[in-house]
Amino acid sequence: MPELPEVETIRRDLLPVLRGHAFTRVWVSPDALRLVQAVPAGRQAPPVADFARLLPGKRIEDISRRGKFLVFHLSDGLYLVVHLRMTGALLHRLAGAPPDRYVRAVLSLDDDSELRFSDLRKFGALWLVPDTSPVLGRLGPEPLESGMTPSLLREVTARRRAPIKSLLLDQRALAGLGNIYADEALFAAGLHPQRPASSLSDSEVERLHGAIRRVLTAALADRGASFSDYVDASGREGRHQFRVQVFRRTGQPCYVCGREIARVKVAGRSSHFCPRCQPLEPGATRNDKEAAS
Ligand SMILES: [Zn+2]
């Protein structure tokens, strides 16, 4: 699933080539029933017709990112919000370029290019809204912004007894991390994924804060990680999958200490960690210890 570095890579690629251009035509596959989403969610009438009628003529003024959401700022005060979810990709192609697989929508532009929304699993979503807040909901702070200080992270962890891994995945606590970078950040910080968030000491929170930023920055420099479906706006894979320390390395030796990387389920998600570099220290619950053994 694309996380902050992957979505940010797409944003940085698209902004310089799309800024100032207008949408001209919209095609949404009739089998992509949940692609165009209404706000509030669950509205009865599918908004595809509104979407296809309102988007043409709108000019792209800026593209920003919030967590894993991509936000196109359009003329007339509208926003096109995109979430790639599991297998979505936003491909920028010349009109007439060879077809891509699993294309659910084509948004044509006035420079004879088009954005193709490709999505094997069909969990991705598009919104066209005058206000992004009902779509974005209550997202936590952006981990790479300057306001994201160790003391802010301390505020986030102190109130929560959930495992630190669950907290890192919770978009309302911190925006943009998913399974890959949560595991990598916890390894870089030397923290067991099942440690209760509130048990972290000040120095551990400081370590985690630095680790999150280092891991995301390195992944951005590698243009993201392509473990399964992720490709950038040109259809190219990222490189960070070759540089991960623990993610999906179960049974392989830790690059630091040689111990086999282990895997444990936390909040229903596989968590990869080194049992020696990331000890389960006192403060963890008994259930956590049993689950880890
Ligand atoms: Zn190790």
Side-chain angles (χ1 to χ4, degrees):
M1 181 196 263
E3 304 179 24
L4 187 155
E6 289 77 32
V7 179
E8 179 63 17
T9 297
I10 294 171
R11 187 192 75 80
R12 291 179 182 182
D13 284 358
L14 289 182
L15 180 58
V17 291
L18 293 187
R19 202 204 300 257
H21 287 289
F23 291 105
T24 54
R25 229 177 24 250
V26 171
W27 172 83
V28 177
S29 167
D31 73 349
L33 296 175
R34 290 178 315 233
L35 175 60
V36 177
Q37 299 264 322
V39 176
R43 201 180 73 164
Q44 283 300 307
V48 175
D50 293 350
F51 185 84
R53 179 175 56 82
L54 287 171
L55 194 59
K58 301 296 182 290
R59 197 167 296 281
I60 299 168
E61 294 175 345
D62 197 5
I63 307 175
S64 61
R65 179 194 53 74
R66 185 74 174 94
K68 303 176 198 170
F69 291 88
L70 205 53
V71 181
F72 290 74
H73 303 235
L74 305 177
S75 51
D76 298 334
L78 283 176
Y79 298 89
L80 169 65
V81 185
V82 180
H83 200 301
L84 302 173
R85 297 264 163 74
M86 301 282 288
T87 57
L90 200 56
L91 301 164
H92 186 225
R93 305 290 200 201
L94 284 173
D100 289 291
R101 298 207 296 170
Y102 315 119
V103 171
R104 312 300 180 190
V106 178
L107 314 179
S108 303
L109 289 142
D110 63 6
D111 62 350
D112 278 328
S113 72
E114 58 195 29
L115 283 172
R116 299 177 182 174
F117 192 90
S118 152
D119 193 3
L120 168 64
R121 301 278 301 275
K122 297 202 268 191
F123 290 115
L126 305 174
W127 296 261
L128 187 62
V129 287
D131 171 15
T132 59
S133 50
V135 178
L136 302 180
R138 297 211 325 266
L139 288 174
E142 284 288 328
L144 289 180
E145 281 183 5
S146 56
M148 184 63 217
T149 57
S151 61
L152 180 57
L153 185 59
R154 178 82 200 143
E155 275 175 39
V156 172
T157 59
R159 293 180 265 124
R160 300 281 293 269
R161 293 172 63 192
I164 183 63
K165 170 68 184 284
S166 313
L167 189 76
L168 294 183
L169 294 178
D170 181 352
Q171 301 301 296
R172 291 165 302 180
L174 194 64
L177 291 189
N179 218 25
I180 302 172
Y181 301 109
D183 281 3
E184 292 296 301
L186 288 171
F187 175 80
L191 293 171
H192 193 287
Q194 290 177 308
R195 285 278 306 277
S198 56
S199 77
L200 268 56
S201 68
D202 285 349
S203 65
E204 286 173 330
V205 169
E206 200 151 321
R207 246 160 50 206
L208 180 59
H209 173 266
I212 290 169
R213 292 171 79 114
R214 278 202 312 283
V215 160
L216 292 176
T217 304
L220 257 174
D222 285 337
R223 302 183 54 81
S226 297
F227 281 97
S228 43
D229 300 277
Y230 168 71
V231 290
D232 66 19
S234 305
R236 291 170 304 200
E237 296 192 339
R239 299 183 301 270
H240 200 67
Q241 65 275 20
F242 304 118
R243 305 237 321 241
V244 291
Q245 303 291 302
V246 289
F247 186 74
R248 292 199 185 163
R249 293 196 63 245
T250 312
Q252 298 176 46
C254 171
Y255 294 128
V256 173
C257 74
R259 179 90 175 258
E260 276 186 14
I261 300 301
R263 185 175 59 185
V264 65
K265 286 256 184 204
V266 182
R269 306 290 299 274
S270 280
S271 294
H272 311 80
F273 69 103
C274 171
R276 187 172 293 156
C277 297
Q278 297 166 264
L280 187 59
E281 284 164 359
T285 68
R286 208 167 122 249
N287 283 344
D288 287 337
K289 282 177 188 154
E290 281 164 8
S293 61

